[in-house]
């Protein structure tokens, strides 16, 4: 998949080191493999619309950026609910497939690797019901 | 990619990734500030920034545009040593 993860919070990079060394390295063998970025004051988070200036922290914003630097998707959650990493991975797989097909294929609702894609074009207009069933939107 | 450096501050460059930050030198009105907040749109370039980072035992400086050519997952979270 080859995606680069970057995590960001308002904590200093010194605190990131302490968190990695004292807690996260006990959950993830070898410690956190990606850069842990510091955004003191939330300047970067503000530009991305995820910094909560009242609480002084970032919300759980996740931005998917393609190799051209274009944001292809994002999700923002308030702090108490964690994300679904599997869904992020699925979205990357879908966007990579579409990009590799140069836009000749599209991934319908519920698509995951192994499921069929759609090939948009004049022949498919009004015919999606023949090639794709709503049950395929679910696992 | 990201060189090891002394501590700095995180800052947006004022431009999207892969393009010069020309708009930053102009005087800012509150209207422009509002526009800056509305920069995030799917299908548009991500705002570029630099930020100090901790990565595998080293302190580095990360610039988003250094990762052009790769898929990037940029994840914000509330804080270290919190629970979720």
């Amino acid at each position: 998949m080859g995606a680069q993860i970057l995590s960001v919070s308002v904590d200093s990079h010194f605190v990131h080191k302490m968190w990695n060394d004292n807690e996260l390295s006990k959950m993830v063998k070898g410690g956190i493999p990606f850069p842990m970025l510091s955004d003191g004051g939330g300047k970067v988070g503000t530009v991305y619309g995820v910094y909560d200036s009242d609480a002084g922290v970032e919300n759980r914003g996740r931005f998917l950026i393609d190799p051209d630097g274009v944001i292809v998707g994002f999700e923002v959650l308030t702090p108490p609910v964690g994300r679904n990493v599997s869904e992020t991975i699925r979205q990357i797989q879908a966007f990579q497939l579409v990009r590799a097909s140069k836009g000749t294929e599209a991934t319908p609702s519920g698509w995951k690797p192994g499921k069929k894609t759609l090939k948009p074009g004049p022949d498919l207009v009004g015919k999606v019901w023949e090639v794709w069933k709503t049950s395929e939107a679910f696992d | 990619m990201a060189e090891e450096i002394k501590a700095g501050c995180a800052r947006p460059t004022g431009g999207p990734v892969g393009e010069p930050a020309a708009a930053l030198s102009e005087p800012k009105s509150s209207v422009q500030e509002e526009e800056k907040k509305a920069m995030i749109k799917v299908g548009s370039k991500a705002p570029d920034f630099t930020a100090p980072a901790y990565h595998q035992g080293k302190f580095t400086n990360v610039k988003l545009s250094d990762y052009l050519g790769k898929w990037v997952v940029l994840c914000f979270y509330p804080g270290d040593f919190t629970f979720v």
Side-chain angles (χ1 to χ4, degrees):
Chain A
M1 189 159 14
Q4 174 67 52
I5 314 289
L6 300 172
S7 69
V8 191
S9 79
V10 296
D11 301 280
S12 73
H13 47 304
F14 305 114
V15 177
H16 287 333
K17 174 174 165 39
M18 294 307 285
W19 193 30
N20 176 73
D21 294 358
N22 291 294
E23 185 169 42
L24 298 180
S25 58
K26 292 166 184 154
M27 302 178 183
V28 180
K29 200 165 188 285
I32 295 300
F34 49 77
M36 303 170 73
L37 279 54
S38 168
D39 181 26
K43 293 191 194 78
V44 176
T46 298
V47 172
Y48 279 78
V50 299
Y51 180 65
D52 179 343
S53 56
D54 293 331
V57 300
E58 327 266 27
N59 284 305
R60 292 186 199 280
R62 181 230 63 188
F63 297 84
L64 196 50
I65 302 169
D66 79 7
D68 298 321
V70 171
I71 297 174
V72 293
F74 62 81
E75 172 191 71
V76 185
L77 305 177
T78 52
V81 171
R83 318 166 223 257
N84 183 343
V85 178
S86 303
E87 172 59 6
T88 299
I89 292 170
R90 187 198 72 84
Q91 288 181 14
I92 296 169
Q93 290 167 327
F95 277 115
Q96 288 183 337
L97 181 151
V98 169
R99 187 179 172 92
S101 80
K102 301 193 190 303
T104 62
E105 292 180 62
T107 61
S109 177
W111 179 89
K112 59 185 180 183
K115 283 190 171 183
K116 77 163 82 78
T117 60
L118 299 178
K119 295 179 179 59
D123 295 345
L124 192 59
V125 176
K127 296 281 201 281
V128 173
W129 69 275
E130 289 181 1
V131 297
W132 187 83
K133 308 298 173 202
T134 51
S135 60
E136 295 178 61
F138 305 93
D139 279 330
Chain B
M1 189 157 276
E3 80 279 24
E4 193 170 1
I5 55 119
K6 295 227 168 62
C9 279
R11 59 183 178 83
T13 63
V17 290
E19 288 173 32
L24 205 62
S25 55
E26 292 165 16
K28 286 182 205 141
S29 70
S30 58
V31 175
Q32 280 170 322
E33 283 294 315
E34 285 302 310
E35 281 173 358
K36 205 170 152 190
K37 278 181 187 169
M39 275 176 78
I40 294 300
K41 219 166 63 173
V42 286
S44 293
K45 287 276 186 87
D48 201 9
F49 61 84
T50 61
Y54 174 72
H55 185 210
Q56 296 271 298
K58 289 179 176 160
F59 294 127
T60 62
N61 198 24
V62 167
K63 190 174 191 196
L64 181 61
S65 50
D66 286 344
Y67 295 97
L68 278 170
K70 290 190 80 173
W71 288 86
V72 173
V73 185
L74 180 63
C75 287
F76 294 84
Y77 63 98
D80 294 352
F81 291 107
T82 58
F83 311 104
V84 177

